[in-house]
Amino acid sequence: MIDYQKIKQDLEGIAIEDNPALVRQKSKDFYWYSPILKKQLENVTADLVVTPKTEEEVIRTLKVAYAAGIPVTPRGAGTGNYGQAMPLSGGIVLNLAGMDKVKEIHPGRVICEPGVVIAQLDKQTKAHSGQELRFHPSTAQTATIGGFIAGGSGGVGSINWGGLRDIGNILRLRIVTMEAEPRTLDLTGWDLQKVSHAYGTNGIITEVEMPLAPAYDWVDVLVGYDDFMDGVRFSDALARSSGILVKELAPIAAPIPHSYFTRHKPYIREGQSVVVLMVAPHAMEPFVAFARAHKGEIIFRSDKIESMRGIPHAYELAWNHTTLRALKVDPNFTYLQVQYPAPDHVAKVNAMVRKFGDEVIGHLEFMRFDGQVQCSGLPLVRYTTKERLEEIIRIHEDHGCPIFNPHRYTLEEGGMKQTDRVQLAFKQETDPKGLLNPGKMIAWENPDFDFTAGKNFLFKGLTNVMEMS
Ligand code: FAD
């Protein structure tokens, strides 16, 4: 039994929250996106929320937690949507939002703390020297840079720069280890893959160095098509053209735009599919010419309307915001994350559109993947049963479209469905007691787990929570 009164004394001087309602609130993320995770994780809660202001306070917290054997689950803003930041074994939620300083800005790079909200970071680098992050998640207005690196993958700007997994898109991370005497380690080059997208299971990120790109006053544009596949072909041609600078390129099928993009609805016809874009201001004229050549109807451009008051950013229609907007109106939706590998990605999309019709509604994000243009999908699924969802997943995989399953809370099942030996080895070194975000890395919990057997991993600690409910 852990004596949390003593732990609070040991952490004196560091901000601590133990009010159960507030702790419960900070123990949740957007897990409820998935009807499956919603059931599994709804009773998960920590015992304490600790909010360090400095790296020294992180070190002190980890030292105390290690000595007492308390699990520690890091948290940025809690916008992850697979329960990444949820403390499956209770213990401490380490809220990094208090470490939010931008430390240095240089040509091409920025150094900051992990809890800076991404939009704030962009605002500062833009004001300083006309620069911005190469890409950001659609949650930029709320998500932290540390949470994006540890839990996200790519986003707005990935059409030019690829994702976080591409070497060069993170320059340096400093982490604190979970040991009797926590160490700080600075990681660069390939070593960054040890902790990026590791859900904080093998180190707490306390400093981040990210590359920057030139900032623009991006123009939000919607291009309408009566047929979704025409929008897809237009997007593919634009993504592969060389001269027009865009930052976001997402074809989204009817009925989503007219039914769920409420603030843009006056511009969208019923039954119309749209391509959501952000275009550099200097590229607008060639862009308009290109869209006309592809029979696209430009139905909205932010540089031509009187006021953008009350109208969200175009990127807040895309990525996982598309899902959010649909879910707000119709909770019977869920979604999938699909990859359509190049070079025949458009044909693969077409096959899936024909196969599922209105049950799986198209939403694609064009991006660079290993340097090549392709598209990922976040299609909306009209959810009926768990079994049907599994069947839809299988059909995609049988057609050469891998699924990164957003209905699983483990790193492996949400990713490549195999052990990441580099991240596992690093965890053995940095978290020997397995106290960082327990239950998220299958390779650590059950090294013999067979990913090919088609069974879901159920973390033992979570079984207890589910039995209690
Ligand atoms: P959290 O959710 O708090 O944490 C994410 C993970 O990182 C957790 O495992 C947590 O334990 C770990 N973590 C947090 N801080 C640290 C730290 N300092 N050190 C170590 N580990 C840490 N994702 C994308 O990649 N692209 C998108 O475009 C995108 N769009 C989204 C849209 C919506 C509407 C929603 C709900 C989610 C979206 N996501 C997207 C997922 C999520 O928003 C992003 O991953 C986001 O960047 C997470 O940031 P956060 O600060 O909320 O992190």
Side-chain angles (χ1 to χ4, degrees):
M1 194 67 182
I2 294 160
D3 178 356
Y4 278 104
Q5 284 312 320
K6 169 149 186 340
I7 299 298
K8 282 200 287 184
Q9 283 161 14
D10 291 347
L11 294 178
E12 212 197 313
I14 305 177
I16 292 179
E17 182 58 70
D18 63 357
N19 173 317
L22 296 177
V23 173
R24 236 187 340 268
Q25 200 188 346
K26 284 270 186 275
S27 300
K28 294 189 186 301
D29 59 13
F30 278 68
Y31 73 107
W32 51 264
Y33 255 51
S34 157
I36 294 164
L37 294 181
K38 191 167 190 289
K39 259 200 201 138
Q40 285 180 329
L41 305 185
E42 66 188 342
N43 294 307
V44 165
T45 187
D47 298 283
L48 287 183
V49 177
V50 178
T51 305
K53 279 270 180 207
T54 61
E55 184 179 86
E56 191 263 322
E57 290 188 352
V58 172
I59 292 171
R60 255 185 77 201
T61 308
L62 295 196
K63 194 171 165 159
V64 167
Y66 183 90
I70 302 176
V72 172
T73 300
R75 174 186 176 92
T79 65
N81 44 280
Y82 328 127
Q84 291 112 304
M86 293 181 67
L88 303 189
S89 295
I92 290 174
V93 160
L94 191 69
N95 173 21
L96 277 308
M99 289 181 65
D100 61 354
K101 288 186 206 63
V102 177
K103 293 180 166 174
E104 293 174 33
I105 304 169
H106 301 279
R109 67 194 171 94
V110 60
I111 301 173
C112 65
E113 291 183 335
V116 189
V117 169
I118 294 168
Q120 292 304 319
L121 181 56
D122 266 355
K123 201 169 158 190
Q124 292 196 40
T125 53
K126 192 172 178 185
H128 176 274
S129 44
Q131 305 185 87
E132 64 186 18
L133 287 172
R134 289 176 171 178
F135 54 88
H136 61 75
S138 65
T139 45
Q141 298 293 333
T142 47
T144 65
I145 186 71
F148 181 43
I149 291 166
S153 51
V156 184
S158 287
I159 178 66
N160 299 313
W161 293 100
L164 289 167
R165 64 191 278 282
D166 289 297
I167 187 160
N169 278 334
I170 306 170
L171 297 177
R172 181 178 58 84
L173 294 176
R174 176 187 289 204
I175 62 146
V176 176
T177 63
M178 182 56 145
E179 297 172 279
E181 293 299 331
R183 291 172 292 154
T184 56
L185 304 175
D186 280 287
L187 305 177
T188 56
W190 292 115
D191 281 346
L192 290 163
Q193 296 192 345
K194 294 174 177 172
V195 291
S196 69
H197 204 79
Y199 293 0
T201 54
N202 54 15
I204 304 297
I205 300 165
T206 52
E207 190 175 277
V208 167
E209 186 167 343
M210 295 296 277
L212 298 172
Y216 294 97
D217 294 323
W218 299 96
V219 181
D220 290 351
V221 182
L222 299 185
V223 177
Y225 280 97
D226 290 332
D227 184 292
F228 174 59
M229 284 311 299
D230 285 340
V232 176
R233 283 184 278 270
F234 158 72
S235 302
D236 188 49
L238 181 59
R240 286 187 292 105
S241 73
S242 308
I244 299 173
L245 184 58
V246 301
K247 189 173 180 180
E248 171 63 20
L249 182 48
I252 300 176
I256 300 172
H258 186 266
S259 300
Y260 308 121
F261 295 173
T262 42
R263 301 289 178 151
H264 291 82
K265 196 172 178 151
Y267 305 94
I268 303 167
R269 276 198 309 275
E270 206 176 339
Q272 203 168 35
S273 296
V274 303
V275 180
V276 175
L277 294 117
M278 288 162 66
V279 183
H282 61 262
M284 275 310 289
E285 282 193 27
F287 170 76
V288 169
F290 189 91
R292 278 205 193 111
H294 286 264
K295 312 242 176 322
E297 184 188 347
I298 297 182
I299 55 177
F300 177 89
R301 35 187 294 190
S302 58
D303 60 345
K304 292 284 180 200
I305 66 163
E306 222 161 74
S307 164
M308 279 290 284
R309 272 186 69 158
I311 301 181
H313 299 290
Y315 66 75
E316 288 173 334
L317 302 175
W319 295 87
N320 244 325
H321 271 82
T322 315
T323 323
L324 184 62
R325 287 181 190 283
L327 272 174
K328 272 187 185 165
V329 180
D330 183 349
N332 295 316
F333 274 122
T334 189
Y335 80 115
L336 285 175
Q337 294 184 169
V338 189
Q339 212 192 341
Y340 305 92
D344 57 343
H345 45 285
V346 172
K348 284 181 176 130
V349 170
N350 193 37
M352 293 300 93
V353 167
R354 301 284 161 254
K355 179 113 204 127
F356 292 108
D358 193 52
E359 185 183 13
V360 180
I361 308 171
H363 163 198
L364 303 175
E365 295 289 342
F366 274 82
M367 59 193 297
R368 255 155 242 281
F369 197 88
D370 291 337
Q372 252 191 317
V373 166
Q374 67 165 51
C375 50
S376 294
L378 295 144
L380 285 181
V381 178
R382 292 190 194 275
Y383 185 69
T384 47
T385 62
K386 208 166 129 192
E387 291 69 32
R388 177 60 183 159
L389 189 62
E390 296 294 339
E391 192 176 13
I392 294 171
I393 291 175
R394 231 180 3 261
I395 294 171
H396 275 86
E397 289 178 339
D398 290 348
H399 282 79
C401 308
I403 300 277
F404 297 103
N405 196 334
H407 304 283
R408 301 283 182 269
Y409 54 80
T410 61
L411 276 162
E412 293 94 333
E413 291 167 299
M416 301 304 283
K417 298 175 192 71
Q418 62 189 33
T419 298
D420 185 328
R421 303 228 164 262
V422 174
Q423 291 192 345
L424 174 62
F426 197 56
K427 186 170 174 73
Q428 279 153 353
E429 187 190 327
T430 56
D431 179 25
K433 283 191 183 173
L435 293 171
L436 287 178
N437 207 352
K440 304 293 167 58
M441 190 190 279
I442 298 179
W444 176 271
E445 308 295 341
N446 178 3
D448 300 325
F449 185 77
D450 180 4
F451 291 98
T452 58
K455 290 220 176 74
N456 300 342
F457 175 74
L458 192 57
F459 175 51
K460 263 205 259 86
L462 188 60
T463 327
N464 299 339
V465 174
M466 287 169 75
E467 278 165 3
M468 268 160 41
S469 63

